[in-house]
Amino acid sequence: MVFIPCYRCAPQVVRVLEQFDAEMQALVDTVVVVDNRSPDDTLDVAIEKGRQVLRQCNYIAWRNVDNYGLGGSHKAAFRYAIENGFDHLIVLHGDDQADIRDLREGLKAKAYENVDCYMGARFMPGSQLKGYSWFRTFGNHVYNLLFSVPVLKRVYDLGSGLNMYKLEQFEEFYYKNFPDDLTFNYMMLMGSYNRKQSVKFFPITWREEDQVSNVRLFRQATRVLSLLAGYFFGRARFLQTEMRAKPFDDYRGDIQYQHEASKVEV
Ligand SMILES: Nc1nc2c(ncn2[C@@H]2O[C@H](COP(=O)(O)OP(=O)(O)O)[C@@H](O)[C@H]2O)c(=O)[nH]1
Ligand SMILES: [Mg+2]
């Protein structure tokens, strides 16, 4: 199952859905657009585009029941995928910074088979950055190194917009208390290393064109440092603490549209 988190990215999600050429659609089973209650027409645009272009795979578009943030959207997608018997979950950001086609060779070669977390990386040999500022690139390298210390493994990205997870490892909802905001990925990665899951990075392309980043850089940078310190000193105990500003009992979406492969009415 491919999960596409979206928040106010109508112009970009159209291009994301266009990334799914016939071969890509055949390589996946179901594409799920998860709209985190965007105030604009992101969901409508995604429904219309998906209806047109995703003919060879199943397609679902839902609106989160509440405003769960990016991390909470992940939780909703993981739970849905597990409840519906999927074996792998691919995360592809809805703002068209990453490209699903960077997974094509990996999917064909089943490179994910003996890996729990197959992570797209923007900062490793073979990665390509287009329009990404030197300042953010530098900052990312520093943070990757800092997070490499407690896990004793080389971290090439703390959370890009293209990742693949083996769901068997995520059936237990141990990540429920992880942050619901954009720092979710950092804790998810620390959690994976802490649980001795196998993590493998692969190089991706990443572009910054008309995307509006919702990351408030310095606020997030300090928040992330405090999470790192928490993990460094607390390890498993820290990972069990409540990291959400506003905890939810469950994470669900209201399906607004769905169709099955090649049963599209036009
Ligand atoms: N900021 C933010 N992004 C969300 C949310 N829900 C889903 N997303 C999506 O998460 C992705 C990453 O967010 P973005 O602001 O681009 O972060 P960045 O790429 O790390 O700078 C985008 O595809 C958003 O559309 C949310 O509640 N807040
Ligand atoms: Mg983005």
Side-chain angles (χ1 to χ4, degrees):
M1 174 178 137
V2 182
F3 145 59
I4 305 181
C6 292
Y7 182 69
R8 297 177 75 172
C9 56
Q12 293 85 17
V13 73
V14 169
R15 303 200 302 259
V16 170
L17 294 171
E18 280 168 354
Q19 293 173 10
F20 290 82
D21 52 34
E23 192 185 24
M24 261 336 294
Q25 290 185 43
L27 284 167
V28 304
D29 182 87
T30 302
V31 172
V32 182
V33 160
V34 171
D35 173 49
N36 188 37
R37 308 185 71 84
S38 302
D40 63 2
D41 58 350
T42 298
L43 183 61
D44 299 329
V45 165
I47 288 174
E48 190 47 34
K49 190 70 191 179
R51 198 176 67 79
Q52 288 167 11
V53 301
L54 298 179
R55 290 154 175 273
Q56 286 112 303
C57 61
N58 305 325
Y59 179 54
I60 294 172
W62 88 45
R63 181 186 292 120
N64 285 339
V65 169
D66 210 322
N67 181 349
Y68 298 143
L70 178 63
S73 298
H74 276 71
K75 294 173 193 175
F78 271 92
R79 295 332 283 170
Y80 180 87
I82 290 164
E83 282 162 20
N84 287 277
F86 288 96
D87 47 15
H88 288 83
L89 181 75
I90 295 171
V91 182
L92 171 66
H93 283 183
D95 64 356
D96 195 39
Q97 290 195 271
D99 197 317
I100 188 76
R101 288 166 289 202
D102 286 336
L103 251 184
R104 192 195 305 267
E105 294 312 315
L107 287 177
K108 280 174 147 174
K110 298 201 189 321
Y112 52 84
E113 242 175 11
N114 299 313
V115 188
D116 298 316
C117 308
Y118 191 54
M119 313 294 283
R122 296 166 289 178
F123 311 100
M124 73 186 286
S127 308
Q128 256 188 298
L129 294 171
K130 295 174 189 158
Y132 204 68
S133 80
W134 71 266
F135 183 67
R136 292 186 90 180
T137 306
F138 173 75
N140 272 281
H141 278 289
V142 172
Y143 273 71
N144 290 346
L145 282 175
L146 286 176
F147 275 83
S148 299
V149 175
V151 301
L152 301 173
K153 294 261 164 59
R154 183 72 189 268
V155 171
Y156 287 103
D157 205 315
L158 289 156
S160 79
L162 181 61
N163 297 305
M164 183 166 181
Y165 298 93
K166 186 182 275 176
L167 289 169
E168 204 183 300
Q169 296 289 351
F170 299 90
E171 280 170 17
E172 186 193 333
F173 199 1
Y174 67 84
Y175 41 92
K176 185 175 181 180
N177 58 302
F178 289 3
D180 278 339
D181 61 14
L182 289 153
T183 60
F184 173 80
N185 280 88
Y186 299 77
M187 285 303 103
M188 199 59 170
L189 191 62
M190 292 302 103
S192 289
Y193 282 117
N194 193 259
R195 292 179 157 251
K196 311 265 185 289
Q197 295 171 10
S198 58
V199 179
K200 188 177 175 195
F201 292 95
F202 66 96
I204 62 168
T205 51
W206 189 258
R207 55 187 166 266
E208 190 132 311
E209 294 157 343
D210 58 346
Q211 290 84 0
V212 196
S213 174
N214 296 293
V215 172
R216 276 178 282 173
L217 208 58
F218 288 97
R219 197 159 164 262
Q220 172 139 338
T222 45
R223 166 104 181 101
V224 167
L225 273 188
S226 90
L227 288 172
L228 174 64
Y231 180 67
F232 189 82
F233 294 110
R235 305 289 164 145
R237 199 164 28 84
F238 176 73
L239 292 175
Q240 283 159 20
T241 59
E242 182 56 74
M243 302 178 206
R244 295 170 291 181
K246 180 185 172 199
F248 292 95
D249 288 334
D250 56 10
Y251 293 83
R252 308 211 159 264
D254 279 328
I255 294 180
Q256 302 293 314
Y257 174 84
Q258 80 189 111
H259 72 231
E260 284 177 25
S262 59
K263 287 184 190 159
V264 188
E265 291 166 38
V266 229

